[in-house]
Amino acid sequence: MTRTVEHHHVAPPPESIPTTVVTSWKAPIAFGIFTLAALALAVFAPRPGETTYRLSLPNDVIQLPEVTVSVMPTLWTVVVLLAASTAYSAWLVSSKRRVPLWLIVVFAILFMFGFLTWAGSGASLPMIGLLFGSLSLAVPLIYGSLAGVIGERAGVVNIAIEGQLLAGAFTAAVVASVTGQPLLGLVAAMVAGMLVGMVLAAFSIKYFADQVIVGVVLNVLVIGLTSFFFSQVLAPNAATLNTPPRFDRLPIPVLSEIPIIGPVLFRQTLVVYLMYIAVALVYFGLFHTRWGLRVRAVGEHPQAADTVGIKVNRTRFWNVALAGSIAGLGGTFFTIGSGIAFNQEMTAGAGFIALAAVIFGQWDPIKATLAALLFGFASNLQNTLAVIGSPVPSEFMLMLPYVVTIFAVAGFVGRSRPPAASGKPYIKS
Amino acid sequence: MSDPTESRGDAPGANELDADVALEEPGAAAPEKGTAATAYGPGEVPPPSRWTTMLNQIATGNAIISVLAVVLALIVGAIMIAFTDERVQEASGYFFARPGDTLSAIWESVSGAYSALFQGAIYNFRRDTFTAGIRPITETLTFATPLIAGGLGVALAFRVGMFNIGGRGQMLIAASVAGWIAFGFDLPWGIHMLVALIGGLIGGALWAGIAGVLKARTGAHEVIVTIMLNYVAFYLVSWMLRTPGLLQAPGSSNPKTPAMKETAIFPQLLGPQYNLHFGFILAVIATIVVWWILSRSSLGFKFRAVGINPNAARVAGINVKGMYVYAMLISGALLGLAGVSQVLGTVTTGFTAGIDAGIGFDAITVALLGRSTPWGTFAAGILFGAFKAGGFSMQAAEGVPIEIVLVVQALIVLFIAAPPLVRTIFRLPDPKAKPKRSRETVTKEAQAK
């Protein structure tokens, strides 16, 4: 009795329960490794000269001055700051507190700044182009990871993201080429992604087939179908069926003139603007609406959800379909989003990277988006460094995001916990 | 991630061992049929439901579902071939005037494609001699070799509850190690091959072992780690292939290795006119070894226990973390075998970063089709090898893109994953209704007497 009274007094009940914070030394250790790596660069591979960061495009209204830093002092400063962050994180852990997300982000940015300064010695780095390209490359990954987050939160593992992206890319190209309307292509891509999602949902919910199997097989099926129709139908009739129009850049009037942020974020295409809205909607929807509460309930504890009258399987079905349409929308980036004709297997594993972003982002839409942005940045970094002439072989730059992910998964994320009922069919008894 | 073999829609309560027996001996039902009919002597009380149970088992069992899944997938493939064929499209333009034209065009298109598939995969009737005629089936076995080895690796990881998507990376690393030993060293015949083979296996095992150790030590999800390791391996091998002194052929600027030395190449099994090589024997041995590990050794018992319920296994005193590492090591070695058989058997003239040829991913479907049992995977590998071999000849002879094979393969696995769907389509009895039916037949036969 007294307990319930207490609960009425204390506003949010979960916080009134004393929680044990699980601390782990993985983050400080990972920080330490990266700090040592930066130190090694400074000690064993010193590079003289200066690095210039170009922060504006030539035709911007507000021109920011170019920032020039000399390499070695900057690198040493970065090493000191990295060491300080490592020490701070170690202090946090030793006093039984968690290492906050912002510290990890700051650490990553510092490290990248140090590395860029070192690698770009004697050259000028176009920061706008670097960030713009990163965001562009991250677009399909973000859509895909949103689809993965919704699916897993509802209790269905969505390994078919790759297939949904590819189906979206294919249909968008064909429909937009035939009609000449990229918007129609976008809608068609969403329908195609939704169909793939529905097949996944039907097999895993109605027929209780294993979700991982169905996901993997759907990827193969979509690759097979699109490649077959590409060679058999699209390739001979490329002019009519596979010359998609592209979305135009739509600069947003005032916002696009903000230095740095403007050219990167607000001179994009419709697909990217829709992505901002999608991320915000999914985040708000999942954690602040009745829909989100139901989705999470169905994915965490279907029996409990069923007991209070939520139709578990129906909720799952429609949310997996929704996730599919989001991924299908992401697939438009490959064709009508960039004005490129469809080609076989053109998604090239983006769906799997999106899946990695979901797990890396701990099934949270915002964190998954950040993870996807990291992947996008790392892929684009290589392109930029290849232009200015990097001291590191390009393959190692390309490898970097994946190595970082492995470190991150083993170090920062650790034993991440998926939604409890993810991957398990709900059989009402 | 749950073990994909664990939850099967048709029989949620069926245990693993039942599935093994049913799957590893798909032909077992057929010979029993004959003995069942003659087994009851006069005077004995015959178990009357046996014959019906048998029919029921055949109709509801896994074998018939697998066969029907293949049939369904081929039908869907036929529809796709027919719809995209230009002759069919032309004839269907005047369908209502002369429907026969459309039908015969469909028949020609589909039968042409499938007979080309068959002749490319099993036996070519157009050849004069028997030795030339059976060449396709040896091609099938050659294509099946890495699929079987890789499929076994994925299947073994599945049985421990892990999903090894890293086949590509493991194959690439294994191929590089084996290839480097095979072209870079001078060793006597036999020993050279053996050293290269073992080196490749160790390479693949260690590459997969990274994921196993990280899962055991830090809890890092093996799916994400193996995917990432695929890319790391790809870029690592690409870099080594274009760096002189590592894997690149001397005096060449292509990212390609020199040819393998004669002493390291797998011997041809059936003479020089066939491509079938010693790797197939290794795949058979690997199947036997995996079967022995999984169903006869204590390690395999622990593997399966961890796969079915890791918490229960931990309570029972099994070193769950150790099992994850061992399973990934063995799984990687098997995928490594797939990589080694590519460089020492199939493509011996030097390889590029595309040596894996998508087998790492195909292996997943092979393991799924084989339901993660060793002999099931073996059969699935041969089936997919046949599709691959036949697909190339179908593309050459009839102009049907080889991707149709991917569609058919995916559909087969999809249908097998959902037996209720196949049963609904073919109106087969549900196994849950079995007791009721057999009781009915008992009374009928009793009345007849």
Side-chain angles (χ1 to χ4, degrees):
Chain A
M1 280 306 284
T2 47
R3 249 198 186 169
T4 38
V5 173
E6 268 175 24
H7 273 280
H8 282 293
H9 285 296
V10 184
E15 284 172 16
S16 67
I17 303 162
T19 51
T20 46
V21 178
V22 183
T23 52
S24 132
W25 281 93
K26 283 176 200 153
I29 291 171
F31 277 12
I33 292 174
F34 280 104
T35 310
L36 285 179
L39 186 68
L41 279 187
V43 173
F44 297 113
R47 283 161 66 90
E50 293 177 328
T51 303
T52 309
Y53 288 91
R54 275 187 280 142
L55 301 177
S56 299
L57 295 176
N59 50 359
D60 280 355
V61 175
I62 306 168
Q63 286 285 336
L64 289 184
E66 293 185 347
V67 178
T68 305
V69 292
S70 54
V71 172
M72 287 322 288
T74 316
L75 188 53
W76 278 111
T77 318
V78 166
V79 169
V80 171
L81 288 174
L82 291 180
S85 320
T86 310
Y88 178 57
S89 71
W91 175 76
L92 281 178
V93 171
S94 67
S95 56
K96 301 275 178 216
R97 285 159 68 187
R98 276 170 182 274
V99 179
L101 182 64
W102 66 262
L103 186 63
I104 296 172
V105 172
V106 166
F107 186 92
I109 291 174
L110 268 176
F111 181 82
M112 276 329 297
F113 175 64
F115 179 77
L116 272 181
T117 309
W118 174 80
S121 161
S124 87
L125 290 166
M127 287 310 285
I128 303 292
L130 179 60
L131 295 177
F132 183 87
S134 309
L135 182 64
S136 303
L137 288 178
V139 169
L141 306 180
I142 292 176
Y143 276 115
S145 59
L146 287 181
V149 167
I150 294 179
E152 296 219 17
R153 285 280 182 175
V156 178
V157 177
N158 190 355
I159 293 194
I161 300 172
E162 172 87 359
Q164 291 160 348
L165 287 173
L166 196 59
F170 178 83
T171 4
V174 173
V175 172
S177 303
V178 170
T179 61
Q181 291 290 329
L183 262 181
L184 284 179
L186 191 110
V187 174
M190 290 181 74
V191 172
M194 183 183 268
L195 284 177
V196 179
M198 280 179 169
V199 175
L200 172 68
F203 271 85
S204 52
I205 296 167
K206 186 167 183 347
Y207 296 115
F208 310 124
D210 188 275
Q211 298 167 3
V212 175
I213 297 183
V214 178
V216 170
V217 168
L218 277 179
N219 287 337
V220 179
L221 182 64
V222 175
I223 290 175
L225 282 175
T226 52
S227 303
F228 177 80
F229 285 117
F230 173 79
S231 344
Q232 189 81 332
V233 183
L234 256 56
N237 309 305
T240 50
L241 292 177
N242 200 11
T243 40
R246 67 165 294 167
F247 278 116
D248 294 325
R249 293 265 175 86
L250 301 168
I252 294 178
V254 180
L255 294 174
S256 64
E257 295 306 332
I258 303 172
I260 304 181
I261 299 175
V264 174
L265 295 182
F266 300 112
R267 288 182 202 170
Q268 296 277 9
T269 60
L270 182 69
V271 180
V272 181
Y273 295 135
L274 283 177
M275 180 187 80
Y276 302 152
I277 300 171
V279 173
L281 274 185
V282 170
Y283 170 74
F284 181 79
L286 269 184
F287 298 110
H288 299 282
T289 64
R290 196 165 69 166
W291 165 72
L293 188 62
R294 291 187 170 188
V295 168
R296 287 181 292 138
V298 161
E300 289 287 347
H301 203 313
Q303 281 87 352
D306 199 2
T307 312
V308 296
I310 301 171
K311 296 264 186 294
V312 174
N313 285 338
R314 190 186 294 173
T315 312
R316 284 186 170 180
F317 184 88
W318 287 110
N319 280 296
V320 173
L322 170 72
S325 70
I326 292 177
L329 177 54
T332 59
F333 168 82
F334 293 100
T335 50
I336 55 176
S338 332
I340 301 171
F342 180 83
N343 205 341
Q344 296 185 22
E345 296 185 50
M346 70 186 308
T347 49
F352 288 105
I353 305 284
L355 187 68
V358 172
I359 301 173
F360 194 1
Q362 294 173 307
W363 294 271
D364 176 286
I366 301 290
K367 285 184 191 169
T369 304
L370 289 178
L373 282 172
L374 177 74
F375 290 134
F377 176 75
S379 325
N380 197 41
L381 183 64
Q382 188 273 329
N383 299 339
T384 310
L385 289 184
V387 172
I388 62 167
S390 152
V392 186
S394 64
E395 284 88 359
F396 285 92
M397 291 307 306
L398 285 165
M399 215 187 273
L400 191 68
Y402 308 112
V403 176
V404 168
T405 310
I406 293 173
F407 269 102
V409 172
F412 301 135
V413 183
R415 212 173 289 274
S416 50
R417 195 189 69 85
S422 181
K424 298 189 182 78
Y426 178 61
I427 303 166
K428 199 170 177 175
S429 50
Chain B
M1 193 138 305
S2 66
D3 177 2
T5 58
E6 186 186 324
S7 59
R8 299 214 326 281
D10 55 332
N15 70 35
E16 288 283 297
L17 294 173
D18 278 352
D20 282 7
V21 173
L23 283 161
E24 285 176 21
E25 299 162 40
E32 273 183 53
K33 215 190 290 176
T35 54
T38 54
Y40 319 121
E44 264 183 62
V45 182
S49 65
R50 190 137 169 212
W51 172 250
T52 347
T53 326
M54 197 70 67
L55 268 182
N56 250 319
Q57 268 175 1
I58 294 169
T60 58
N62 291 315
I64 193 84
I65 295 286
S66 304
V67 171
L68 291 177
V70 174
V71 171
L72 262 184
L74 286 175
I75 291 172
V76 176
I79 293 171
M80 284 176 59
I81 293 171
F83 267 86
T84 53
D85 192 307
E86 278 173 11
R87 288 167 296 176
V88 177
Q89 283 166 359
E90 264 174 41
S92 65
Y94 51 91
F95 178 78
F96 291 105
R98 284 164 66 189
D101 278 16
T102 312
L103 294 179
S104 70
I106 290 176
W107 170 249
E108 270 173 32
S109 154
V110 172
S111 66
Y114 279 160
S115 74
L117 181 78
F118 179 83
Q119 299 199 2
I122 311 287
Y123 189 87
N124 194 343
F125 297 107
R126 287 178 200 154
R127 292 279 176 275
D128 300 332
T129 57
F130 178 74
T131 46
I134 60 157
R135 196 170 183 279
I137 195 153
T138 66
E139 283 297 297
T140 292
L141 296 182
T142 312
F143 278 113
T145 303
L147 290 173
I148 294 169
L152 286 171
V154 177
L156 189 112
F158 271 149
R159 295 294 286 269
V160 196
M162 288 199 291
F163 191 14
N164 181 5
I165 314 190
R168 188 187 186 197
Q170 290 145 27
M171 281 183 69
L172 279 172
I173 296 293
S176 305
V177 175
W180 178 66
I181 295 172
F183 70 72
F185 289 83
D186 284 308
L187 290 169
W189 190 90
I191 296 171
H192 197 177
M193 185 185 89
L194 209 60
V195 172
L197 172 68
I198 292 170
L201 294 189
I202 292 174
L206 291 181
W207 200 251
I210 297 173
V213 169
L214 285 180
K215 185 184 173 77
R217 291 272 159 203
T218 70
H221 205 297
E222 81 280 0
V223 168
I224 188 167
V225 176
T226 49
I227 293 174
M228 296 297 125
L229 284 175
N230 278 347
Y231 290 96
V232 175
F234 175 76
Y235 290 122
L236 190 66
V237 172
S238 305
W239 173 72
M240 291 194 290
L241 282 169
R242 73 173 180 86
T243 308
L246 289 173
L247 287 179
Q248 195 178 43
S252 156
S253 60
N254 293 332
K256 194 179 173 189
T257 66
M260 305 300 128
K261 291 208 169 114
E262 282 298 321
T263 47
I265 291 176
F266 284 161
Q268 307 280 351
L269 285 186
L270 300 172
Q273 72 264 44
Y274 302 109
N275 287 327
L276 190 64
H277 53 79
F278 180 62
F280 184 71
I281 303 288
L282 289 176
V284 174
I285 294 172
T287 315
I288 296 168
V289 169
V290 171
W291 167 80
W292 184 83
I293 290 177
L294 280 177
S295 42
R296 290 290 179 277
S297 75
S298 74
L299 184 69
F301 175 76
K302 290 175 189 166
F303 277 172
R304 286 180 294 150
V306 171
I308 292 168
N309 189 338
N311 293 326
R314 192 178 301 115
V315 172
I318 294 172
N319 177 5
V320 175
K321 291 180 173 182
M323 290 309 123
Y324 286 147
V325 178
Y326 293 143
M328 278 315 267
L329 285 174
I330 300 176
S331 171
L334 287 163
L335 279 148
L337 177 60
V340 174
S341 89
Q342 282 289 93
V343 292
L344 299 187
T346 314
V347 190
T348 52
T349 52
F351 60 91
T352 64
I355 185 70
D356 65 295
I359 290 165
F361 284 99
D362 288 347
I364 299 171
T365 32
V366 169
L368 293 179
L369 178 60
R371 292 210 172 152
S372 304
T373 62
W375 291 107
T377 306
F378 185 82
I382 289 183
L383 180 68
F384 279 18
F387 275 131
K388 228 174 192 176
F392 282 113
S393 82
M394 184 167 71
Q395 187 168 26
E398 298 286 316
V400 177
I402 191 162
E403 288 84 15
I404 189 83
V405 166
L406 275 184
V407 177
V408 170
Q409 287 177 355
L411 286 174
I412 291 174
V413 181
L414 204 55
F415 287 132
I416 285 180
L421 178 68
V422 178
R423 270 192 224 106
T424 319
I425 293 173
F426 287 98
R427 311 209 177 282
L428 287 177
D430 196 303
K432 284 166 200 158
K434 196 163 59 180
K436 192 178 152 200
R437 286 190 185 198
S438 55
R439 212 175 300 134
E440 276 172 11
T441 30
V442 172
T443 49
K444 266 182 205 162
E445 289 190 19
Q447 278 169 356
K449 280 183 181 174

